Amino acid sequence: MLTNIHGKKGLQLFLGLGAGFCFGFLLEKGGVTRYDVIVGQLLLKDFTVVKIMLSACVTGMLGVHLLRSLGMAQLHPKPGSLGSSMVGGLIFGLGFATLGYCPGTIAGAVGQGWLDALVGGLAGIIIGAGLFAGVYPRLRQNILAKGDFGDKTIPQVLKVNPWAAVVPVVVLIMLFLYWMEKKGL
Amino acid sequence: MDWFEMGRWSPYVVGIGIGILSWLTFILSDKPIGCSTAFARTSGMIERLFRGRKVLEKDYYKQFVPEVDWEWMLVLGIILGSFTSAKISGQFHLNWVPASWAAVFGSQAFTRVVVALVGGIMLGFGARWAGGCTSGHGISGTLQLVVSSWLAAVCFFIGGIAAAFFIFHILG
């Protein structure tokens, strides 16, 4: 691993900016910096969001696991619990549909000139994150700890070699994408 | 250059591009792509302007120190990258109200902004509650086959689809 590069703070900030630039460029080209496309997905009329997410997931999964097998990368799994991932995920979903952007695509929407994203949404996300920081000490030992399962990955839960999970998941996602195209979604 | 001037690319080209970008962030920065902590850090930075250093003692801001980090720069980069793409293809326009919102709820900017603000509050609150967003859990976490991320990503869509149907088919 390139640990000498990882430790250089200034360089990392620059690399973050560069990665964001590419990410924003791709999101805009994909159309997902638009409210109409995101809400179209949630109303099950336009499947652009799911197609982008799943093809990114397949590509990323193969590459990152290969890099890991070669000793060039390590995983960064996030811990979770039913109380955190599930309840938080559902609250996020309500906001996702009401706002019509997510934290990444809203930055792209701002870049594309969407003022509802800049004046309403961006301010809202910052306020919402701040409110969460305020209630965090009270939630931490309660709901966030309910049904805790740590930072496990699917191969760890199944006690198999990572590739024994990667290959079937990649095949399933590709079959699903193929099926969506066949159905004309 | 023609290609860069196109308004839209195939979702598969975009998805594969994001996947390859994630290889690079893992190699060069030892980091998965994610966006929502940048908003939490920004919130802490703003609160610090008003309340001073004691903000740094909040439990949450001990974990997510209010400072400009890699992910914060990533979010800034998204704005610049999207702006560049939109400018090249002639898609940059200043707008208040998206078409599908206007078709059902009218083209008043004030209503749309208030709803966006409320939606944003739920989104920011939910993202930090779940410990990630559509990027950090939905793409980066699922590609690492993380259990919490797959669960969160499925719940993002369950909540999102339910709320979208409620907003557009019951309220609208």
Side-chain angles (χ1 to χ4, degrees):
Chain A
M1 291 209 306
L2 305 173
T3 37
N4 53 332
I5 293 183
H6 299 161
K8 290 194 175 123
K9 215 175 166 212
L11 175 68
Q12 283 305 325
L13 292 179
F14 180 74
L15 287 172
L17 186 71
F21 185 91
C22 298
F23 192 33
F25 197 95
L26 288 163
L27 292 172
E28 203 280 335
K29 285 279 178 264
V32 289
T33 55
R34 295 165 176 83
Y35 173 94
D36 297 334
V37 173
I38 291 180
V39 167
Q41 173 65 71
L42 297 176
L43 291 171
L44 307 177
K45 288 179 187 163
D46 175 340
F47 284 76
T48 306
V49 175
V50 165
K51 287 176 188 175
I52 290 178
M53 286 180 75
L54 289 179
S55 47
C57 178
V58 165
T59 310
M61 197 184 296
L62 289 168
V64 168
H65 282 89
L66 186 65
L67 289 168
R68 184 177 181 240
S69 293
L70 296 171
M72 290 172 70
Q74 58 184 346
L75 298 187
H76 294 280
K78 291 185 179 191
S81 65
L82 293 177
S84 144
S85 316
M86 196 167 75
V87 179
L90 292 170
I91 299 171
F92 181 95
L94 301 183
F96 195 18
T98 311
L99 174 57
Y101 306 107
C102 54
T105 57
I106 197 165
V110 168
Q112 210 189 18
W114 287 100
L115 298 167
D116 60 329
L118 177 66
V119 179
L122 210 60
I125 301 176
I126 293 170
I127 294 169
L131 289 175
F132 183 77
V135 295
Y136 176 69
R138 265 167 289 161
L139 298 179
R140 191 182 185 177
Q141 305 300 337
N142 296 306
I143 186 153
L144 296 179
K146 290 262 164 25
D148 183 62
F149 47 74
D151 62 356
K152 287 206 165 42
T153 62
I154 294 171
Q156 285 172 339
V157 171
L158 300 175
K159 296 192 174 71
V160 294
N161 181 290
W163 288 101
V166 168
V167 174
V169 172
V170 165
V171 170
L172 281 174
I173 292 176
M174 294 197 34
L175 283 173
F176 181 67
L177 289 170
Y178 177 76
W179 173 81
M180 283 205 299
E181 288 300 326
K182 270 232 141 189
K183 292 279 270 179
L185 293 174
Chain B
M1 205 57 198
D2 281 359
W3 222 52
F4 289 108
E5 287 169 13
M6 285 169 71
R8 290 281 286 271
W9 289 354
S10 152
Y12 300 109
V13 171
V14 171
I16 290 168
I18 294 171
I20 293 172
L21 184 63
S22 76
W23 308 347
L24 295 175
T25 66
F26 269 93
I27 297 174
L28 297 174
S29 302
D30 190 28
K31 284 196 163 53
I33 292 172
C35 297
S36 67
T37 66
F39 293 91
R41 290 183 206 274
T42 305
S43 195
M45 285 187 253
I46 294 171
E47 198 179 332
R48 193 181 163 180
L49 287 178
F50 294 102
R51 298 186 48 233
R53 292 191 61 84
K54 66 181 176 192
V55 170
L56 303 179
E57 286 156 28
K58 279 193 176 181
D59 282 358
Y60 201 69
Y61 294 133
K62 282 183 192 159
Q63 266 185 56
F64 299 97
V65 179
E67 64 182 10
V68 171
D69 70 335
W70 184 89
E71 200 168 307
W72 202 94
M73 293 299 282
L74 182 104
V75 174
L76 180 64
I78 295 175
I79 301 179
L80 301 175
S82 172
F83 173 75
T84 306
S85 169
K87 266 288 177 195
I88 294 172
S89 62
Q91 308 271 330
F92 180 86
H93 304 290
L94 290 177
N95 273 315
W96 286 99
V97 186
S100 52
W101 171 268
V104 179
F105 299 102
S107 52
Q108 260 202 317
F110 181 76
T111 326
R112 170 57 196 148
V113 169
V114 169
V115 171
L117 181 75
V118 173
I121 292 172
M122 289 192 281
L123 191 79
F125 193 82
R128 294 326 307 151
W129 186 312
C133 64
T134 2
S135 307
H137 274 317
I139 295 177
S140 301
T142 58
L143 74 84
Q144 297 178 77
L145 289 168
V146 182
V147 176
S148 69
S149 298
W150 275 94
L151 177 61
V154 167
C155 292
F156 294 165
F157 281 92
I158 292 175
I161 290 168
F165 273 79
F166 178 77
I167 293 167
F168 279 86
H169 295 310
I170 296 178
L171 296 180

